[in-house]
Amino acid sequence: MDNSVLHVVLPGTYDPVTLGHLDVIRRATRLFPQVTVGVAASRAKRGVGTAFSQEERVCMIEESLEELGIEGVNVRAFDGLLVDFCREVGAGGVVKGLRAMTDFEFELQQADLNAHLAPDIESVFVMASPEFGYVSSSIVRELASLGSGVDTLVPQCVASRLASHFAS
């Protein structure tokens, strides 16, 4: 019996997608034959909601994947439990990128909960590449809101959307 994981989900809020996210997505495509990016609704993330709608976040990821030439990735919005979404799309694993020990502690708790809810779905952690270890969506939003350039942190299509978003 083959227990290989052939399809994984990379879940996240992606508010907005960063070059760090895209690095982990690109690396997942080298490890697994089928990759789905799951864009979580996250209506009440950190009590304030997201800066961009779920539809805008899906669109930014699709545009970013095209801009960077990352092929063979499906992008889908989801609402609800991650394990239910994995079952819906037929994924046998979840890939999460880790930047620091604080990420690990949070993600380990989530992986343990997912293992309790769905023992058949594997969790895989991928360390951030050193050049992206400090990049987060919240840092990108903060810099953009203060008028700072974020061109080295996000694809050009995302930098343009951030500039428009915070200009209003």
Side-chain angles (χ1 to χ4, degrees):
M1 179 166 78
D2 184 10
N3 290 327
S4 299
V5 174
L6 301 176
H7 182 187
V8 293
V9 168
L10 282 83
T13 306
Y14 301 104
D15 188 38
V17 65
T18 69
L19 291 175
H21 291 131
L22 293 159
D23 176 61
V24 172
I25 293 167
R26 181 189 315 267
R27 290 163 61 209
T29 65
R30 293 195 318 241
L31 297 169
F32 301 96
Q34 190 174 358
V35 173
T36 298
V37 173
V39 182
S42 297
R43 288 183 196 87
K45 185 162 185 172
R46 294 185 178 84
V48 296
T50 58
F52 295 97
S53 72
Q54 192 175 29
E55 295 78 22
E56 288 173 308
R57 292 179 280 132
V58 166
C59 188
M60 280 191 282
I61 294 168
E62 291 172 339
E63 290 172 3
S64 296
L65 291 168
E66 185 174 334
E67 183 178 317
L68 298 181
I70 302 171
E71 298 178 348
V73 177
N74 186 29
V75 182
R76 295 216 10 213
F78 78 98
D79 194 1
L81 290 176
L82 174 58
V83 294
D84 291 341
F85 179 67
C86 288
R87 287 192 175 112
E88 178 185 323
V89 299
V94 173
V95 172
K96 297 297 294 251
L98 301 176
R99 293 169 301 196
M101 283 306 291
T102 52
D103 282 350
F104 177 76
E105 291 172 5
F106 175 78
E107 296 300 346
L108 179 61
Q109 286 180 326
Q110 295 300 307
D112 287 348
L113 176 59
N114 289 340
H116 174 74
L117 296 172
D120 55 316
I121 297 175
E122 295 293 334
S123 292
V124 177
F125 298 114
V126 175
M127 296 306 302
S129 294
E131 65 266 34
F132 303 119
Y134 66 94
V135 179
S136 70
S137 294
S138 57
I139 286 172
V140 167
R141 284 192 315 275
E142 181 74 14
L143 289 171
S145 74
L146 296 170
S148 180
V150 293
D151 294 357
T152 60
L153 307 176
V154 297
Q156 185 54 50
C157 61
V158 175
S160 297
R161 283 192 188 232
L162 283 162
S164 296
H165 180 79
F166 288 110
S168 34

